[in-house]
Amino acid sequence: MIITALAAVTAAIVLARKPVPTPSSSRVMSQFRGLVAAWLAVVAGALLVVGIVSDTLLHHIIQIAPLVVALSLLPRRFDWGVSAAAPLFAFWLFVMGAIWLFLLGVARIVTGTFTPVEVILTVIIGLASLLGLGTAYRRGTAIPILARLGTIVTFAVLQFAAMWFSVQPFVTRR
């Protein structure tokens, strides 16, 4: 829950900025749309590879559901998609940070055993999340603040729910 709250606060800070007007805004908007979508796809894809490598594919399919929903918002409702993506990027960045702290022996926020492939994937997920947050910051969003905050909180909670659901006994026994 703490990571979810931190992710929501981080996303709210990142998206506090209004979009910067540019002369060729359709080209720039297309570029940002593509970047946000690409970083979401990289995070989701890397998480699926973790699921394959660790034989926990069902867990990871459930965990990426909010990423897929945010990705589906981008083509038609770009500003809403960015507001949905930002807390997801922050969430996964914090989760990867917790894993790195464990691997470095600094903190035991998460525990477990990680293969070299999984460690490399945590770096990929963390970098894609950081770059996704940077893209969201550079673009900003034009939706009203209350709608923006509502979207941020909704997607932070959806990601928390997906994580919680993915570790329930009826999922872990499969």
Side-chain angles (χ1 to χ4, degrees), residues 41-95:
V42 168
V43 172
L47 286 166
L48 288 176
V49 174
V50 170
I52 292 167
V53 169
S54 64
D55 199 29
T56 56
L57 186 57
L58 179 59
H59 299 269
H60 289 82
I61 289 171
I62 293 167
Q63 291 170 6
I64 69 163
L67 296 162
V68 172
V69 174
L71 197 52
S72 72
L73 286 173
L74 288 170
R76 290 186 210 131
R77 304 252 185 209
F78 178 69
D79 284 327
W80 292 89
V82 171
S83 293
L88 304 177
F89 288 137
F91 181 89
W92 287 108
L93 181 62
F94 289 133
V95 169

Side-chain angles (χ1 to χ4, degrees), residues 11-141:
I13 292 167
V14 165
L15 294 178
R17 174 178 168 206
K18 292 275 188 203
V20 179
T22 58
S24 59
S25 68
S26 66
R27 186 178 63 91
V28 171
M29 174 101 96
S30 176
Q31 177 188 10
F32 280 112
R33 180 179 290 124
L35 284 173
V36 172
W39 297 131
L40 280 171
V42 168
V43 172
L47 286 166
L48 288 176
V49 174
V50 170
I52 292 167
V53 169
S54 64
D55 199 29
T56 56
L57 186 57
L58 179 59
H59 299 269
H60 289 82
I61 289 171
I62 293 167
Q63 291 170 6
I64 69 163
L67 296 162
V68 172
V69 174
L71 197 52
S72 72
L73 286 173
L74 288 170
R76 290 186 210 131
R77 304 252 185 209
F78 178 69
D79 284 327
W80 292 89
V82 171
S83 293
L88 304 177
F89 288 137
F91 181 89
W92 287 108
L93 181 62
F94 289 133
V95 169
M96 295 308 112
I99 291 170
W100 299 330
L101 289 173
F102 169 72
L103 292 172
L104 294 170
V106 175
R108 296 178 59 87
I109 300 166
V110 297
T111 59
T113 56
F114 298 88
T115 66
V117 172
E118 290 170 319
V119 172
I120 291 167
L121 289 166
T122 65
V123 173
I124 292 168
I125 294 165
L127 284 174
S129 296
L130 186 62
L131 292 168
L133 278 174
T135 302
Y137 173 77
R138 284 186 17 240
R139 168 61 175 94
T141 182

